[in-house]
């Protein structure tokens, strides 16, 4: 080898390469001193200065991807194929996954979180491209816990500094209803229960917009509200023969899950519709209830802006309504303000036990009696043990 390098032990310039166990080493031909032991454990820059480094910083790390990263890349590709995402989405999700898996925050996490990390990268990509996809869909495909998925998702947004726009309710309704099995009759769906997809999506969007205008959507998970709105829309399009179909049976026919809060969202939507129906003259004589109000949803949605103003009072008329209620007028004629459900029906808070008069009189500055002082004094044996323990310090 050329005399550019010298042996640090004898100063000789006779440096040769010696293959030892298929690993090249630089050895001094005169004294046998090994200048570099294992080129795979040095970086390109450190090889010139003859400095050993760890494998994680070496050139050998870049020769092949780790099994964890290869498996994650394969999972991202498979998930994109299942969701029928464009190739641009797949490339973006792969770049996010490679950035995330190399971030120190995700080095020492469990395999479950690394599996969820795949779904988070795909979910972020879809949200950024305004592709309607819910977190529940990703969790069902990965068999992941929703709370754990949410925590990993927030961590990805924070560590990678990603910006994700909010998903519109209209796109969410279209995506959620695409999975319904009610749009063509089959062995599990009778002909009277089958419905036109475009009509049902349009009616569901109108009901969801009504829910948004009446504070039923703010701060809540959207899927239960969309499911309840779809049930009302489906019933209102053909009330005859569908009013007897229960909410759980509708979800079973549609092939979708019934979220636990959906029953509450359905009850709140029915209450809003009944208040609006009370403002229409031709419906007051029909004794409309929560079951029959579905027949008139088309009329209510057509005049919803006027009916909402008539059904609910503004903030400045609240006192007048309260005065009218105090004078003995009927409750149905009193218009309450349009407020979020959390203000109308606040959750009950646990009341703390009231302090006794003796406890309230305690301030902490009271004198300590002689009998109580003796409880804090050490005995003679304790004093000796304490002095022995102090001697060791």
């Amino acid at each position: 080898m050329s005399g550019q390098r010298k042996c640090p032990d004898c100063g000789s310039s006779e440096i040769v390469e010696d293959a030892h166990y298929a690993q090249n080493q630089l050895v001094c031909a005169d004294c046998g001193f090994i200048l570099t032991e294992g080129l795979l454990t040095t970086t390109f820059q450190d090889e010139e200065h003859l400095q050993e480094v760890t494998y994680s910083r070496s050139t050998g790390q870049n020769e092949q991807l780790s099994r964890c990263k290869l498996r994650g890349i394969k999972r991202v590709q498979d998930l994109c194929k299942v969701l029928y995402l464009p190739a641009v989405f797949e490339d973006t999700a792969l770049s996010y996954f490679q950035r995330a898996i190399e971030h120190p925050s995700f080095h020492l996490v469990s395999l479950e979180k690394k599996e969820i990390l795949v779904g988070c990268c795909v979910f972020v990509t879809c949200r950024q491209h305004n592709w309607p996809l819910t977190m529940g869909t990703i969790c069902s495909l990965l068999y992941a816990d929703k709370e754990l998925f949410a925590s990993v998702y927030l961590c990805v947004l924070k560590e990678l500094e990603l910006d994700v726009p909010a998903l519109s309710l209209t796109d969410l309704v279209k995506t959620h209803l695409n999975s319904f099995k009610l749009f063509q009759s089959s062995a599990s769906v009778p002909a009277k229960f089958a419905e036109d997809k475009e009509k049902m999506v349009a009616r569901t969007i109108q009901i969801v917009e009504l829910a948004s205008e009446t504070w039923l959507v703010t701060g809540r998970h959207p899927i239960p509200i969309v499911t309840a709105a779809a049930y009302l829309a489906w019933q209102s399009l053909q009330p005859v023969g569908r009013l007897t179909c229960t909410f759980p049976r509708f979800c079973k026919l549609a092939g979708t899950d019934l979220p636990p809060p959906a029953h509450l969202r359905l009850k709140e939507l029915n209450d809003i519709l009944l208040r609006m129906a009370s403002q229409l003259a031709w419906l007051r004589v029909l004794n409309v209830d929560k079951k029959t109000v579905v027949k008139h949803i088309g009329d209510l949605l057509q005049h919803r802006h006027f009916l909402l103003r008539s059904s609910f009072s503004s903030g400045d008329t609240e006192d007048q309504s309260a005065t009218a209620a105090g004078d003995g007028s009927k409750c149905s004629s009193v218009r309450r303000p349009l407020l979020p459900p959390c203000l109308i029906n606040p959750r009950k808070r646990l009341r703390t036990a009231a302090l006794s008069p003796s406890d309230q009189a305690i301030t902490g500055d009271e004198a300590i009696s002689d009998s109580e002082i003796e409880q804090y004094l050490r005995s003679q044996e304790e004093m000796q043990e304490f002095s022995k323990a102090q001697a060791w310090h």
Side-chain angles (χ1 to χ4, degrees):
M1 181 177 285
S2 61
Q4 295 180 357
R5 295 185 178 181
K6 293 184 178 181
C7 177
D9 190 23
C10 65
S12 174
S13 58
E14 295 295 330
I15 308 299
V16 297
E17 288 188 3
D18 182 22
H20 182 67
Y21 292 105
Q23 189 173 13
N24 294 331
Q25 299 175 346
L26 296 180
V27 182
C28 177
D30 293 339
C31 66
F33 183 82
I34 300 176
L35 280 73
T36 58
E37 184 175 1
L39 296 180
L40 293 178
T41 59
T42 57
T43 61
F44 291 111
Q45 182 178 2
D46 293 331
E47 286 172 6
E48 298 178 358
H49 297 86
L50 310 180
Q51 297 177 357
E52 293 184 356
V53 295
T54 58
Y55 177 77
S56 61
R57 294 173 50 230
S58 67
T59 58
Q61 186 190 23
N62 298 326
E63 290 186 357
Q64 61 179 0
L65 298 175
S66 62
R67 292 197 311 174
C68 177
K69 186 180 293 186
L70 289 174
R71 183 173 55 186
I73 292 175
K74 185 66 168 56
R75 292 287 291 166
V76 171
Q77 294 173 344
D78 293 342
L79 190 58
C80 292
K81 291 179 181 178
V82 170
L83 297 172
Y84 295 97
L85 300 180
V88 179
F89 290 27
E90 181 178 334
D91 296 339
T92 306
L94 286 175
S95 64
Y96 287 156
F97 176 76
Q98 292 178 359
R99 286 177 53 190
I101 203 66
E102 294 175 358
H103 198 278
S105 302
F106 301 102
H107 283 177
L108 301 178
V109 298
S110 61
L111 292 177
E112 183 181 8
K113 288 188 176 180
K114 288 183 179 179
E115 184 76 11
I116 292 177
L117 184 61
V118 171
C120 290
C121 296
V122 176
F123 183 64
V124 169
T125 303
C126 292
R127 293 287 296 273
Q128 288 181 339
H129 289 82
N130 199 24
W131 188 278
L133 181 68
T134 61
M135 188 179 296
T137 303
I138 293 289
C139 291
S140 62
L141 292 175
L142 298 177
Y143 300 98
D145 181 67
K146 293 182 180 179
E147 295 183 358
L148 184 59
F149 186 94
S151 63
V152 177
Y153 171 70
L154 294 176
C155 185
V156 170
L157 296 182
K158 178 182 178 181
E159 299 299 338
L160 300 186
E161 299 179 354
L162 300 177
D163 186 18
V164 177
L167 183 64
S168 65
L169 285 175
T170 303
D171 294 335
L172 183 60
V173 169
K174 295 179 180 179
T175 304
H176 188 58
L177 265 62
N178 280 338
S179 61
F180 282 18
K181 301 178 181 178
L182 295 171
F183 305 124
Q184 56 183 358
S185 58
S186 60
S188 59
V189 180
K192 64 177 182 178
F193 290 157
E195 187 54 66
D196 182 69
K197 181 179 180 180
E198 295 183 359
K199 292 182 180 179
M200 186 169 175
V201 170
R203 180 62 61 85
T204 304
I205 291 176
Q206 291 179 337
I207 298 178
V208 171
E209 290 176 351
L210 174 64
S212 178
E213 294 173 358
T214 53
W215 298 95
L216 300 183
V217 179
T218 306
R220 290 173 165 180
H221 198 285
I223 295 300
I225 299 176
V226 173
T227 306
Y231 173 62
L232 293 176
W234 176 74
Q235 282 189 323
S236 65
L237 291 174
Q238 294 185 19
V240 180
R242 294 183 180 178
L243 291 179
T244 56
C245 183
T246 61
F247 197 9
R249 186 187 177 190
F250 164 78
C251 294
K252 185 177 181 180
L253 291 172
T256 184
D257 296 331
L258 177 60
H263 285 286
L264 298 178
R265 304 294 90 85
L266 179 62
K267 180 179 181 299
E268 293 170 350
L269 283 173
N270 283 325
D271 292 341
I272 296 296
L273 293 174
L274 286 175
R275 275 190 165 271
M276 295 170 61
S278 64
Q279 301 301 318
L280 289 179
W282 62 86
L283 294 181
R284 293 176 182 173
V285 297
L286 298 179
N287 295 325
V288 178
D289 55 14
K290 63 180 181 179
K291 291 185 178 180
T292 58
V293 73
V294 178
K295 301 178 181 180
H296 312 285
I297 284 182
D299 296 334
L300 298 177
L301 293 177
Q302 185 178 359
H303 308 284
R304 75 171 188 266
H305 298 293
F306 169 76
L307 295 178
L308 285 177
R309 289 195 300 266
S310 303
S311 303
F312 301 94
S313 65
S314 58
D316 54 354
T317 60
E318 183 178 359
D319 297 336
Q320 299 177 3
S321 300
T323 304
D327 295 339
S329 59
K330 295 182 180 180
C331 295
S332 59
S333 62
V334 178
R335 296 187 304 168
R336 64 173 176 84
L338 184 58
L339 298 174
C342 61
L343 296 180
I344 299 175
N345 300 312
R347 292 183 178 180
K348 295 182 179 180
R349 297 182 179 179
L350 297 177
R351 297 182 180 179
T352 57
L355 297 177
S356 61
S358 59
D359 294 336
Q360 293 179 355
I362 298 177
T363 60
D365 298 330
E366 290 78 14
I368 302 177
S369 62
D370 295 340
S371 60
E372 188 177 357
I373 290 178
E374 293 179 355
Q375 299 178 3
Y376 301 99
L377 296 179
R378 295 187 177 92
S379 62
Q380 190 65 27
E381 296 179 356
E382 292 177 344
M383 292 292 294
Q384 293 177 359
E385 295 292 336
F386 181 74
S387 60
K388 290 182 181 179
Q390 291 291 332
W392 289 96
H393 295 284

